[in-house]
Amino acid sequence: MAPSRRHCGWEMTPLSGYLLLSILAFQPVLAKVCNDYTRHGQDNSWFSGDDEKLPIMVLMPMNESALMSSISQGIEPAVQLAIQHIRESQNYKFSLITKIYDTECDNAKGLRAFFDAICYGPKHLMIFGGVCPSVTSIIAESLEGWNLVQLSFAATTPVLADKKKYPNFFRTVPSDNAVNPAVVKFLNFYNWSRVGTLTQDVQRFSEVRNDLTNELEKADIQIADTESFSNDPCVNVKKLKDNDVRIIIGQFDENLASKVFCCAYNLNMYGSKYQWIIPGWYQGNWWEQANSTNCTTRKLLTAMEGYIAVDFEPLSAKQVKGISGRTPKEYEREYSKELQQKGVEPSKYHGFAYDGIWVIAKTLTRVMDLLQHKERQDMYHNFTVDDREVGKLVLDVMNETNFYGVTGQVMFRNGERMGTIKFTQFQEGQEVKVGEYNAIADVLDLINNTMRFQGVEPPKDRTFVRLQRRNINVPLYSILSVITILGMLMAGAFLFFNIKNRNHRLIKMSSPYMNNLIILGGMLSYSSIFLFGLDGALVSDKEFEALCTVRTWILIVGYTTAFGAMFAKTWRVHAIFKNVKMKKKIIKDQKLLIIVGGMLLIDLCILICWQIVDPLKRTVEEYSLEADPQGRDIAIRPFLEHCENTHMTIWLGIVYAYKGLLMLFGCFLAWETRNVSIPALNDSKYIGMSVYNVGIMCIIGAAVSFLTRDQPNVQFCIVALVIIFCSTITLCLVFVPKFITMRTNPDAATQNRRLKFNTNQKKEDSKTSTSVTSVNQANTSRLDGLQTDNHRLRMKITELDKELEEVTMQLQDTPEKTPYIKQNHYGDVNNILSIRNFTEGKEGEKSIVKNHLEQKPQAQWGSMDPSRINRGPLEDINSPEHIQRRLSLQLPILHHAYLPSIGGVDASCTSPNASPGSSPRHRHMPPSYRVMVSGL
């Protein structure tokens, strides 16, 4: 069973530091004493003889009670097997003698063993070993002073890679840092560019993490989060999940590994979305032996399924014969036999120890050849070589080492072994090799069909966020576009109707030019719907930004054009019929066009300032992540495009205020002209209805549109329906009544309830311009005045009747006077009183109102009863015939006398029967009103 390396981390104690300083301080003295003591019987001829026995110092913890002693017990058979194979090869003129010194993995005892080997042992040419990192680092730091080179087969701590501090240290086992380039290569293979690290707070793991960070930065791989923990890793694992770390590189021992995976299980950080990469040097079934958590083995195995373990390759997988003439498999069989004979457990470092002995043999052979060559060149002198020169030669030759051993190609780079890194995956309760990394060739080789991921594909290195535009549904856009086109066709039909009948009295009096502007504004409003439905799915970002401005301009200008023309018409009616002091007021269409143009000019000023100072731009609003509806390992982040600027509220407030004032002004005009009873002129009723509907719909639409800004389909549907409804209602209220009137009764619309047009004025009406003259007879206030005058005159007539009755009574008391009345005068008395009332207009729109009161003569005054001819004067003076004769004479005289008081003939008229129209006073009366008084 492979021994554990959980105790490889170390901290220098005060005692070990003191010993190290003591050795370094007294190193020259100790070297001189020990060298003098050990050089007895030896000289520098060791390199020139044959079959020399060269001593090698071996430092290992051999005491069974010492830490990591199990490593050494499995190493010794491999070392002896290597020495045996070297001797059997007969390619070396020497034999290696190994002397094992027990360091007991203790700094003080290790230093003591090293000092004893230097002073009391044979003169060692090299040091082989170094298992415990703390002891190895202390000894390796002092090797330069002893002119010795150390080759380790088990010290993997990254500290020893510092060549400035440990220049004479080599190792055949790859460093813990050697896995980092392999990990980076593995990440690149699966295109993982975002990782997180979870590190146990120990020096050894911290050093590996620091080196890994440098390698990741060189490879341009993002480190999303770096977490360190001492005992409880759950908090740190939770942070990794919160930071959306999917690929987690762990550096911790197997005791804490069980806690890490227990936390991962509880946080659901396993399966198809996560990939764990941990060290591969844990003991077999470590999750059972090191489980100190409350998670069951089944839960741990569930969370561990699929993790990747990274470690060096103990033996090469390539069955190639190496320097010993044996393949790794053949060597492994011989090694297993040695273990059986000695009854010890195998060590995972035995292959590195075996290749290490071969490195020493090749190095010493090369050094001996170099020294022999120098000796031959200096054969005429007494050639000597000191320990410093030998140490330098050994160091140079070690850096040139390159051969194929049982662990692969053996090669050093700055004292570090360029070995092979193995990748294994935990599958169904066991680790399965899935690939290896060759550090020399920098090549990652994965075994086909061995890697198994929990999902259908490798996990993603992050929650891949797919931006998804919330665009307008094409069927919805199509339906609303069709409705909009129908509305535009309707507006076109109204335009055709208006142009075709522009000379008709009904259309002419309603200002066809203004009607055309109303239709144009409606069509502009309709066309803005097409632009509101275009988003980034149909146009580019630059075009969308241009649409932000265009559709705003079109909608604002369309609104002002339609309602501005409608309100201008209403203002003209208001100006005519509410201006009591003026007899006549002419407002032509040119003036109304100027009014509408002024409203549009205000719009243009606002829009131009808006565009220059703070133009509308395309902004993107992103929403919270959503799960993929298809179940893929991605997240959907919806986004929506808006047209906004910095001071959007201010500009909208200006536009809304201006449009609101325009709408309020239109409501005021509509209310003021509500009693004008000429439908062709007065649209106040329909304008009020339009303003009411448009106002309500705009308020509701704006509120709902703001609340549904994150739902483009709903928002577009509401905006489009509001525009369609408002435009359609406005056009229909303006034109449908005219169309119906034209179809049913084309003349009824231009008739007043109280006025009737005279037939002789129709020719003049056809010549009148589209401007409406002052129709004074339709003026309500003046009609009320006429009614008051008529009442006053009726009162005067009543008074005259009383006076007439008194005169009649007086006539009855005077029988002597019976003037003779000619028969031809009787016909002139038939008409007692007639005052005509008519009204003249201008340019064909004058109305004449006639009100005649004709009184029939009750009898022919010339016809007399024959029975009464023979009566006497006194009998017949009070007879009805005499009374009728008297009235026939007196009433015309009274009528002639009282006409001046009621606006009739002048008193200067000589004839009582003259026409009232011939009176100068009557001729000078205003032609607008002539009152007919009846009831006499």
Side-chain angles (χ1 to χ4, degrees):
M1 183 173 295
S4 173
R5 290 163 60 186
R6 60 182 179 273
H7 300 290
C8 292
W10 64 279
E11 299 290 343
M12 182 176 289
T13 61
L15 178 59
S16 61
Y18 174 76
L19 291 174
L20 176 61
L21 292 175
S22 300
I23 292 178
L24 294 177
F26 297 100
Q27 182 174 319
V29 177
L30 290 174
K32 183 177 184 303
V33 173
C34 292
N35 284 339
D36 290 343
Y37 178 78
T38 57
R39 284 183 184 277
H40 61 278
Q42 289 189 359
D43 53 21
N44 289 329
S45 61
W46 60 271
F47 56 84
S48 58
D50 294 334
D51 198 19
E52 288 284 343
K53 295 182 180 181
L54 302 181
I56 303 298
M57 182 191 305
V58 180
L59 297 176
M60 292 189 301
M62 300 301 297
N63 192 335
E64 294 183 358
S65 62
L67 297 175
M68 303 180 70
S69 60
S70 57
I71 296 178
S72 302
Q73 295 175 3
I75 290 297
E76 186 177 3
V79 171
Q80 297 301 326
L81 193 60
I83 293 175
Q84 177 184 344
H85 292 166
I86 291 173
R87 188 182 304 114
E88 292 176 356
S89 66
Q90 298 181 355
N91 294 326
Y92 301 92
K93 302 176 182 179
F94 57 85
S95 59
L96 297 177
I97 304 299
T98 58
K99 176 65 174 176
I100 298 177
Y101 295 90
D102 187 7
T103 61
E104 300 185 28
C105 259
D106 181 83
N107 294 343
K109 294 180 179 179
L111 289 174
R112 174 66 180 270
F114 174 70
F115 178 77
D116 290 344
I118 292 293
C119 294
Y120 305 109
K123 184 177 181 180
H124 303 93
L125 298 177
M126 293 185 65
I127 300 176
F128 184 67
V131 177
C132 302
S134 59
V135 178
T136 303
S137 60
I138 293 175
I139 296 174
E141 192 173 359
S142 63
L143 292 177
E144 187 177 9
W146 299 102
N147 297 318
L148 292 173
V149 175
Q150 182 178 3
L151 179 63
S152 175
F153 53 84
T156 60
T157 176
V159 177
L160 298 172
D162 187 1
K163 288 290 102 179
K164 293 182 179 179
K165 195 172 184 180
Y166 311 104
N168 288 23
F169 180 81
F170 291 81
R171 49 187 165 192
T172 55
V173 63
S175 167
D176 290 337
N177 287 344
V179 302
N180 292 333
V183 171
V184 172
K185 200 74 174 180
F186 187 79
L187 296 175
N188 288 331
F189 182 84
Y190 287 103
N191 296 321
W192 291 331
S193 59
R194 185 176 183 272
V195 299
T197 60
L198 182 64
T199 308
Q200 183 180 349
D201 195 9
V202 176
Q203 181 181 4
R204 172 192 175 189
F205 297 120
S206 300
E207 291 169 352
V208 176
R209 181 198 58 196
N210 295 337
D211 183 75
L212 176 63
T213 301
N214 295 331
E215 295 291 337
L216 293 173
E217 290 177 354
K218 291 178 183 178
D220 197 21
I221 296 177
Q222 177 189 0
I223 302 177
D225 191 13
T226 299
E227 296 293 332
S228 299
F229 66 96
S230 297
N231 186 26
D232 185 9
C234 290
V235 175
N236 307 94
V237 175
K238 178 68 166 54
K239 290 181 179 180
L240 291 174
K241 182 177 182 179
D242 294 339
N243 290 326
D244 192 34
V245 176
R246 299 289 197 89
I247 311 301
I248 305 169
I249 303 175
Q251 293 290 339
F252 37 77
D253 58 35
E254 61 263 40
N255 290 326
L256 290 177
S258 59
K259 294 184 178 180
V260 169
F261 283 105
C262 182
C263 297
Y265 180 85
N266 294 330
L267 294 172
N268 200 27
M269 292 181 64
Y270 62 91
S272 60
K273 294 184 178 181
Y274 293 90
Q275 182 61 63
W276 289 84
I277 302 176
I278 63 175
W281 41 261
Y282 296 165
Q283 294 181 356
N285 297 331
W286 56 267
W287 56 89
E288 295 179 352
Q289 301 178 12
N291 186 8
S292 59
T293 66
N294 55 0
C295 292
T296 62
T297 301
R298 184 185 61 81
K299 292 181 178 179
L300 288 179
L301 292 176
T302 302
M304 291 162 50
E305 185 67 24
Y307 75 71
I308 301 295
V310 187
D311 196 12
F312 53 80
E313 185 75 88
L315 291 176
S316 176
K318 298 179 180 180
Q319 300 304 314
V320 179
K321 291 185 177 181
I323 191 173
S324 64
R326 294 168 176 81
T327 63
K329 286 287 186 182
E330 294 173 348
Y331 157 74
E332 191 173 18
R333 285 196 294 268
E334 295 185 27
Y335 175 72
S336 299
K337 291 180 181 180
E338 293 291 331
L339 292 177
Q340 292 178 359
Q341 292 177 3
K342 295 185 178 182
V344 295
E345 293 292 331
S347 172
K348 64 181 299 183
Y349 301 99
H350 66 88
F352 299 104
Y354 179 84
D355 284 343
I357 297 298
W358 282 97
V359 170
I360 293 175
K362 285 186 65 65
T363 300
L364 293 179
T365 300
R366 178 61 178 162
V367 170
M368 292 175 66
D369 292 341
L370 292 175
L371 291 176
Q372 290 175 3
H373 179 69
K374 289 185 178 182
E375 185 180 24
R376 287 193 295 271
Q377 289 179 347
D378 199 12
M379 59 183 302
Y380 299 106
H381 301 84
N382 186 13
F383 175 76
T384 59
V385 60
D386 57 8
D387 295 340
R388 184 180 299 275
E389 187 174 359
V390 172
K392 188 176 183 307
L393 285 175
V394 171
L395 188 63
D396 294 339
V397 172
M398 286 283 290
N399 285 319
E400 297 174 358
T401 301
N402 189 357
F403 65 89
Y404 198 87
V406 294
T407 58
Q409 190 171 0
V410 181
M411 183 179 178
F412 300 105
R413 182 178 297 169
N414 293 327
E416 295 295 311
R417 168 71 185 274
M418 304 298 295
T420 302
I421 305 301
K422 175 183 64 172
F423 288 90
T424 59
Q425 186 180 37
F426 190 78
Q427 300 176 3
E428 299 179 356
Q430 60 181 354
E431 291 186 352
V432 178
K433 183 179 178 180
V434 295
E436 62 180 26
Y437 169 77
N438 189 333
I440 298 175
D442 191 23
V443 174
L444 176 65
D445 184 17
L446 295 180
I447 304 174
N448 295 331
N449 301 323
T450 56
M451 187 75 73
R452 296 180 184 176
F453 294 105
Q454 301 299 301
V456 295
E457 59 182 358
K460 308 296 182 181
D461 59 359
R462 68 198 76 188
T463 300
F464 274 91
V465 178
R466 177 172 296 177
L467 293 176
Q468 188 177 75
R469 179 184 287 103
R470 287 184 176 177
N471 51 10
I472 296 173
N473 199 336
V474 176
L476 175 63
Y477 181 73
S478 303
I479 294 173
L480 292 176
S481 297
V482 171
I483 298 175
T484 303
I485 292 173
L486 294 177
M488 297 183 74
L489 292 176
M490 180 194 69
F494 288 150
L495 181 63
F496 174 78
F497 168 78
N498 190 69
I499 295 175
K500 180 181 178 181
N501 300 282
R502 64 186 180 277
N503 293 323
H504 193 277
R505 179 190 304 274
L506 176 67
I507 303 301
K508 181 178 290 186
M509 294 184 69
S510 66
S511 300
Y513 292 137
M514 293 296 103
N515 293 341
N516 291 341
L517 287 181
I518 294 173
I519 296 172
L520 176 61
M523 296 185 76
L524 287 175
S525 300
Y526 278 128
S527 61
S528 66
I529 297 176
F530 299 109
L531 303 181
F532 276 106
L534 298 177
D535 52 21
L538 301 175
V539 297
S540 63
D541 295 346
K542 195 171 184 180
E543 292 172 346
F544 181 84
E545 192 164 303
L547 286 176
C548 292
T549 303
V550 173
R551 67 191 187 187
T552 304
W553 282 53
I554 290 178
L555 184 59
I556 292 177
V557 171
Y559 175 88
T560 303
T561 303
F563 280 88
M566 192 182 302
F567 297 158
K569 289 175 56 179
T570 310
W571 171 82
R572 178 165 61 184
V573 176
H574 178 272
I576 291 174
F577 289 94
K578 290 298 179 179
N579 190 4
V580 179
K581 296 182 179 180
M582 298 182 65
K583 293 191 300 181
K584 181 172 63 176
K585 189 175 183 66
I586 300 176
I587 301 176
K588 297 184 178 181
D589 285 350
Q590 288 81 354
K591 190 169 184 179
L592 300 185
L593 290 175
I594 293 175
I595 294 175
V596 178
M599 295 179 183
L600 291 175
L601 183 61
I602 296 174
D603 273 339
L604 291 178
C605 292
I606 295 175
L607 292 173
I608 291 173
C609 293
W610 190 349
Q611 183 65 24
I612 294 175
V613 177
D614 193 11
L616 288 171
K617 295 182 179 179
R618 173 183 176 270
T619 59
V620 176
E621 181 181 2
E622 294 184 353
Y623 298 91
S624 58
L625 293 176
E626 298 177 359
D628 180 50
Q630 300 179 4
R632 295 171 297 179
D633 186 20
I634 59 174
I636 304 298
R637 183 179 295 280
F639 74 93
L640 190 59
E641 296 167 311
H642 297 290
C643 294
E644 293 181 351
N645 53 12
T646 306
H647 305 288
M648 190 73 175
T649 306
I650 297 176
W651 293 108
L652 289 179
I654 294 173
V655 173
Y656 290 159
Y658 171 54
K659 301 302 178 186
L661 291 176
L662 183 62
M663 188 173 291
L664 290 176
F665 180 66
C667 292
F668 169 76
L669 294 178
W671 176 260
E672 286 290 309
T673 59
R674 67 190 183 278
N675 293 323
V676 176
S677 57
I678 303 179
L681 294 176
N682 187 23
D683 291 331
S684 61
K685 176 181 178 181
Y686 305 121
I687 291 175
M689 295 174 64
S690 297
V691 171
Y692 175 79
N693 288 302
V694 170
I696 295 298
M697 291 302 298
C698 288
I699 293 174
I700 295 175
V704 177
S705 175
F706 177 78
L707 295 176
T708 59
R709 57 177 287 136
D710 58 338
Q711 303 177 33
N713 288 315
V714 178
Q715 186 182 43
F716 171 67
C717 184
I718 292 173
V719 171
L721 291 178
V722 167
I723 295 175
I724 292 172
F725 180 82
C726 294
S727 301
T728 305
I729 288 295
T730 301
L731 294 175
C732 290
L733 288 175
V734 173
F735 291 98
V736 170
K738 293 178 175 57
F739 180 78
I740 295 175
T741 304
M742 287 286 296
R743 299 286 295 179
T744 57
N745 188 8
D747 295 329
T750 58
Q751 294 177 353
N752 193 295
R753 292 192 306 266
R754 304 183 183 93
L755 303 178
K756 184 175 182 181
F757 286 103
N758 200 350
T759 57
N760 59 3
Q761 295 176 339
K762 291 184 179 180
K763 293 182 180 179
E764 296 180 3
D765 292 342
S766 62
K767 298 178 182 179
T768 56
S769 65
T770 56
S771 62
V772 180
T773 60
S774 176
V775 188
N776 294 326
Q777 74 277 16
N779 193 306
T780 307
S781 61
R782 295 198 177 187
L783 288 177
D784 294 341
L786 291 176
Q787 291 175 356
T788 303
D789 293 341
N790 195 10
H791 179 71
R792 179 175 55 80
L793 293 176
R794 286 176 181 273
M795 295 298 295
K796 287 186 177 183
I797 290 173
T798 303
E799 294 176 0
L800 291 176
D801 286 340
K802 292 180 179 179
E803 293 180 5
L804 183 60
E805 185 179 356
E806 293 177 359
V807 172
T808 303
M809 295 301 296
Q810 292 176 4
L811 288 176
Q812 290 178 354
D813 295 337
T814 311
E816 294 85 4
K817 296 179 180 180
T818 16
Y820 176 74
I821 302 174
K822 293 182 179 180
Q823 187 69 27
N824 56 0
H825 288 168
Y826 293 156
D828 296 333
V829 189
N830 291 332
N831 295 331
I832 299 176
L833 184 62
S834 177
I835 300 175
R836 297 178 180 177
N837 177 20
F838 61 93
T839 306
E840 293 181 1
K842 187 177 181 180
E843 295 179 330
E845 296 180 5
K846 304 172 183 178
S847 306
I848 299 176
V849 181
K850 297 180 179 180
N851 196 356
H852 246 343
L853 180 61
E854 295 182 354
Q855 296 180 355
K856 290 183 178 182
Q858 296 180 1
Q860 281 295 337
W861 291 0
S863 63
M864 301 179 65
D865 190 358
S867 63
R868 295 182 181 268
I869 296 177
N870 296 324
R871 291 182 183 181
L874 294 175
E875 292 180 3
D876 297 334
I877 190 170
N878 292 325
S879 64
E881 291 82 6
H882 283 274
I883 293 174
Q884 187 175 3
R885 289 179 180 179
R886 288 196 299 269
L887 289 177
S888 65
L889 291 174
Q890 293 172 354
L891 285 177
I893 296 172
L894 291 173
H895 174 238
H896 181 69
Y898 283 98
L899 271 179
S901 65
I902 61 173
V905 297
D906 197 276
S908 61
C909 292
T910 58
S911 176
N913 297 323
S915 175
S918 63
S919 173
R921 182 176 179 180
H922 185 79
R923 288 195 300 269
H924 291 291
M925 284 180 66
S928 301
Y929 303 97
R930 291 174 183 175
V931 184
M932 184 249 332
V933 182
S934 62
L936 294 176

